[in-house]
Structures are given as C-alpha cells and as structure tokens.
Amino acid sequence: MIKRTGLCALYLALGPGLATAEPPSQPTKVEINPDRVALEIRRELDADRPGQALTLARTHKELAGYPIYDFEAGRAYLRSGDIDEAVVHFDRAVMVAPDVPRYRLEYARALFAAEDHEASQRQFQRVLDTDVPEPVAQNIRRFLEVIDARLASRRPETRLEVAAAAGYDSNPLSAADDEFLLFGVFPQTFERESDTFLDTRAQLEHRRPRTRSSSYHYRGEVEHRRHSDVSAADQTQARLRGGLSFEGAQGRSYRLPVEVQHTRLDGETFRTRVAFLPQAVLPGAPDRQLRLQGQLAYADYDNDDRDAVTLGASATSLHVLNPDSGLLLYTGLAASYEDADADAFTTTRAGAFVGAQRDLFQDATASVTLTASHERAREARAILGLFPEEDNTAERATTFELRGALAHPLWDSGFTGFAEGALREKRSNIDLFEFTQREIFAGVRYDY
C-alpha cells in the first residue's frame, strides 16, 4: 500500500497530461543542397583558404555524383595537392555533365599535374574545339605546346652525326725548343715542327624511355686524326657510353653513365680507360643552371704496362644574360687526382674556366672559352734523374688555353659548317716540359 501511494504522488507531481502524451517523433533528415555546398567551397577557395574548402568537401562526400559538387571538390583537392583525388572528382563531373567546358578544362589541368600527358592533351583539345574565349584558347595552346615537348622527349630518339675537318697544328708533339743535356752529356735542341692533319668523326646517340621520368642513353663515337708528318703519331679514339638518366622535379635531371674509351697510336693499342661519370643538372633560377659531374676512372697503358686510377669532380654554372641574342655565360671549376703504378707516379690538377656563347646572324653561333689549370706531377722525378741541370723535383706547371668556335647551318640540308681554333701555352718549373701550341681547323658535320 505504501508503494502504490508513492506512485500516485509521483503521477500527481508530473501532471495529469503525462498519461495521454504522445511519444516524441524521430527528427526529420535535412536535405543537403549540393549547390549550397559547392558555393561554400568556392567561397573558401576564393578567400585562399584551401584547408577549409577541403574540410567541406570531405564532410559532404555523400554528394558525389552531383557535377557542381564534384567540380568544386576537385578544385579543393587540387589546391591542397591531392592530385589523384582531384582527378577522380573532375572525371565524375565530366561524365555527368560532358558539355560544360569549365569542368573539362579543370579536368585537363589536373591530368597535366598528374603527368598523364596523353589524357590531358585529349581533354585540352576537346575544350579548344568548343567556342571558348580567345585568352582561354591561348592559354590552352601553351599547355599543348608543353605537352608536345614532353611527349616528344619520351619517344625513342636516334641521332647520327658525322664530321670531317682539316687543320693546322703548330706543335703536334708538344715539344719544347729549349736546349738541354741528353744523358747529361750531349746538348740537344728540340725544334717545334708544324703539321697539318685530317680529322674525321662519327657519333651515334640513342635514347629510349624507361618510365615517365627515366630513360636509357647510349652513345658511341669514333674519331681518327691523321697527320701529314710521320713524326706525329696518327691517333684513333673510340668511346662507348651508356647509362640511365632521370628527370626530377623543377627541371632537375641526373645521369649515371659508364664510359669505355680505347686509344690507338699508329695502329698500336695505347690506352684503355673505363670511367663512371655521374652528372646532375640543378636549375637555380629561370636563367641559371648548375651542372655537377664526378669522375672515377681506371686506365691501362699497354705500351709500358702502367695502370692509373683517377678521381675528379667539376662544377659548371650557366647564366643566360640575354635570351633574345642567346648570350650565355658559363664558368666552372675542376679538380682531379691520378695515381699510377701503386703511388709511383701521381698527378694533381685544379683548374678554372670562363666562357661565353652567343647567337649571331642567320642562326650562326659563336663561343669563346678561356681555361687555366695548375698541376703537380711527381712522375717527373724519375725522368729528371737523367738531367742534372734541371730542378730534380716534382713538376709544377700551369697551362692556359684560349679556344674559339663558330658554327653555321648550311641552309636546311642538315649540314653545319664549323671552325675552331685554340692557343695553348704551358709554363713549368722544368724547361723541358714547357711548350706553346696553336691549332685551327674547319669542316662540315651532318646531323640526322
């Protein structure tokens, strides 16, 4: 009886309406307007808040399939760097609304960012085929030019170059004309003997794409120089180089080639050399570029059973001073160390160079380069034991070279005429090794 009285009191306290009250109804699901969500995303993007725009796009994923939402969501993902997700949204928008040029244009831009150049090219072309404003059409054409260049760079390419030149060499033996003692007894004088020569060269280069950002490079080259004077040895040199090249972000590129070089003098094997030559090209600005190269080489000399190991590195800076005239300035540093016959002979070299290249009238190109290098060669000590009048220490020498070149296409035939000249002078603490040399040659080359 007490329990029933308590329940009655509770009933009276809550009020008489409780017994007849209806149970609360379930909340009605609010219908989301895709146009409103798309407008909110667009406002965040226009206010340069891609993070908030991306949050809105992710919050309303259930609107996928509405083209206006997919379009704005794709823009949000693209601005936030999620290119793959942007492509998915733009693709869906274009499938549902294929006749909206703006949707297809953003789809093409996303495909371009994803480096799917074939698909991007098709979408850009379809937009260009519609009635779009001329400024938009010009922008699309610029994209298509870039795509054409990138697609061309990924096609297999083969290039053949052959060249022949005749020239004059004032000192083919790099001989000194100073008097010295032969075996410490007989005074002798070397007279420089000038010479003419015929130089022939053939080069075949092939590039085969491996992936979107890498390719194989191969190059073979044979060069032969025949002298008219029998005292100067005819030289034949063959090179074979191959390796991988990689294209990185922001114009960077890298190469990892291996080169085999074989040299013969008067038909007899003189030297065989194997080298690993890694390279890197690093753009610093639109008009600047830095090129780095390393060297690790092994050479075997057949004439004296000698072998040598070389370590080297170089850095070259290129700066476009005037794009209209093609004026290019390049400077660089190089250093190397060679160890031959288990440290019996060592040579250390360091040098610098500066040069300029410029386009002249009617596609002609001229260049001039000045190089200065200093070397210290310990192998001189063994030779100079025969010459008591000389300073019997390691050779310390500085070599200067001034080189100029001029090239001009011969109509549209694929032939190019060229001329080169060089002046070299070596200053040494050992008179025997000093020399002056002038060389000039001209010829024709053919590119295929």
Side-chain angles (χ1 to χ4, degrees):
M1 195 67 181
I2 296 176
K3 291 183 179 180
R4 183 174 298 178
T5 303
L7 289 174
C8 290
L10 181 60
Y11 175 83
L12 294 174
L14 292 175
L18 181 61
T20 59
E22 295 292 335
S25 60
Q26 296 296 324
T28 304
K29 184 176 181 180
V30 179
E31 192 70 26
I32 301 175
N33 188 338
D35 293 330
R36 182 180 58 80
V37 174
L39 180 60
E40 291 177 0
I41 296 175
R42 186 185 312 157
R43 286 173 176 170
E44 296 295 341
L45 291 174
D46 292 343
D48 198 21
R49 293 192 291 265
Q52 288 86 331
L54 185 61
T55 300
L56 283 170
R58 288 173 172 170
T59 303
H60 299 286
K61 288 184 177 180
E62 67 274 13
L63 294 177
Y66 289 92
I68 185 64
Y69 161 78
D70 279 317
F71 173 70
E72 297 297 345
R75 292 182 62 214
Y77 279 105
L78 188 61
R79 286 278 298 275
S80 301
D82 193 341
I83 299 173
D84 293 337
E85 193 65 28
V87 168
V88 171
H89 282 277
F90 287 134
D91 180 62
R92 198 156 46 215
V94 169
M95 288 179 62
V96 179
D99 298 328
V100 182
R102 190 184 180 195
Y103 293 177
R104 195 175 297 278
L105 181 60
E106 290 299 317
Y107 183 32
R109 291 181 63 247
L111 290 170
F112 180 85
E115 297 188 4
D116 191 349
H117 296 307
E118 293 86 353
S120 178
Q121 185 182 52
R122 290 193 297 269
Q123 298 302 326
F124 274 126
Q125 193 60 54
R126 290 190 63 176
V127 177
L128 196 60
D129 292 340
T130 63
D131 187 16
V132 294
E134 184 56 28
V136 177
Q138 291 179 1
N139 193 33
I140 291 175
R141 293 188 190 101
R142 285 193 288 268
F143 270 101
L144 290 175
E145 289 175 1
V146 174
I147 291 173
D148 287 339
R150 292 186 179 181
L151 290 177
S153 69
R154 293 175 183 174
R155 299 187 187 106
E157 293 180 354
T158 301
R159 178 173 173 265
L160 173 65
E161 178 184 300
V162 292
Y168 165 82
D169 192 337
S170 68
N171 188 5
L173 299 178
S174 300
D177 60 355
D178 298 318
E179 185 178 282
F180 63 94
L181 294 179
L182 181 63
F183 298 106
V185 180
F186 305 104
Q188 295 289 329
T189 300
F190 276 174
E191 294 293 340
R192 300 190 181 100
E193 296 182 3
S194 62
D195 186 23
T196 57
F197 61 86
L198 177 65
D199 197 287
T200 54
R201 181 177 70 249
Q203 178 178 295
L204 181 65
E205 187 172 359
H206 179 72
R207 186 189 64 84
R208 182 168 63 86
R210 175 175 171 266
T211 64
R212 287 185 177 181
S213 59
S214 66
S215 59
Y216 296 103
H217 272 83
Y218 308 98
R219 188 176 72 186
E221 181 179 357
V222 178
E223 182 176 3
H224 178 72
R225 174 168 292 193
R226 180 178 179 83
H227 292 270
S228 60
D229 189 349
V230 295
S231 63
D234 295 338
Q235 178 174 310
T236 303
Q237 193 170 85
R239 295 187 186 92
L240 181 62
R241 175 183 290 198
L244 274 172
S245 64
F246 301 90
E247 301 295 329
Q250 300 178 348
R252 296 185 180 92
S253 63
Y254 309 90
R255 289 192 177 187
L256 300 173
V258 175
E259 180 181 274
V260 179
Q261 182 185 103
H262 183 71
T263 305
R264 301 177 74 88
L265 300 179
D266 283 337
E268 299 292 332
T269 298
F270 172 67
R271 183 183 67 181
T272 301
R273 186 172 183 266
V274 180
F276 175 55
L277 305 167
Q279 304 171 21
V281 177
L282 308 173
D287 59 348
R288 294 178 183 270
Q289 189 181 90
L290 177 64
R291 296 184 179 182
L292 305 176
Q293 178 170 315
Q295 177 185 180
L296 173 60
Y298 170 79
D300 178 62
Y301 294 81
D302 285 9
N303 60 338
D304 58 1
D305 296 326
R306 182 168 56 131
D307 57 5
V309 176
T310 303
L311 293 174
S314 65
T316 305
S317 174
L318 294 92
H319 183 197
V320 179
L321 299 179
N322 188 338
D324 295 332
S325 64
L327 182 57
L328 173 69
L329 175 68
Y330 48 92
T331 59
L333 300 171
S336 66
Y337 175 79
E338 181 177 291
D339 188 338
D341 282 352
D343 203 31
F345 306 112
T346 60
T347 304
T348 304
R349 294 184 180 90
F353 58 90
V354 60
Q357 177 178 300
R358 189 181 190 276
D359 295 336
L360 302 178
F361 58 91
Q362 297 179 347
D363 299 327
T365 302
S367 65
V368 59
T369 306
L370 174 63
T371 303
S373 63
H374 183 78
E375 67 179 60
R376 181 181 177 89
R378 202 160 64 99
E379 61 181 320
R381 181 175 303 181
I383 299 173
L384 294 179
L386 303 175
F387 306 102
E389 299 299 322
E390 299 290 350
D391 178 16
N392 191 15
T393 61
E395 182 193 11
R396 296 180 298 277
T398 302
T399 304
F400 301 94
E401 179 181 278
L402 178 65
R403 176 176 290 274
L406 178 66
H408 188 277
L410 303 179
W411 308 284
D412 295 326
S413 60
F415 287 92
T416 301
F418 65 92
E420 293 187 29
L423 172 64
R424 304 182 190 91
E425 183 168 345
K426 182 178 180 180
R427 305 281 183 86
S428 175
N429 63 322
I430 302 171
D431 292 343
L432 173 62
F433 294 153
E434 289 187 338
F435 68 86
T436 301
Q437 183 180 26
R438 293 179 298 277
E439 180 184 75
I440 185 170
F441 58 92
V444 176
R445 66 172 178 259
Y446 178 73
D447 294 297
Y448 174 75

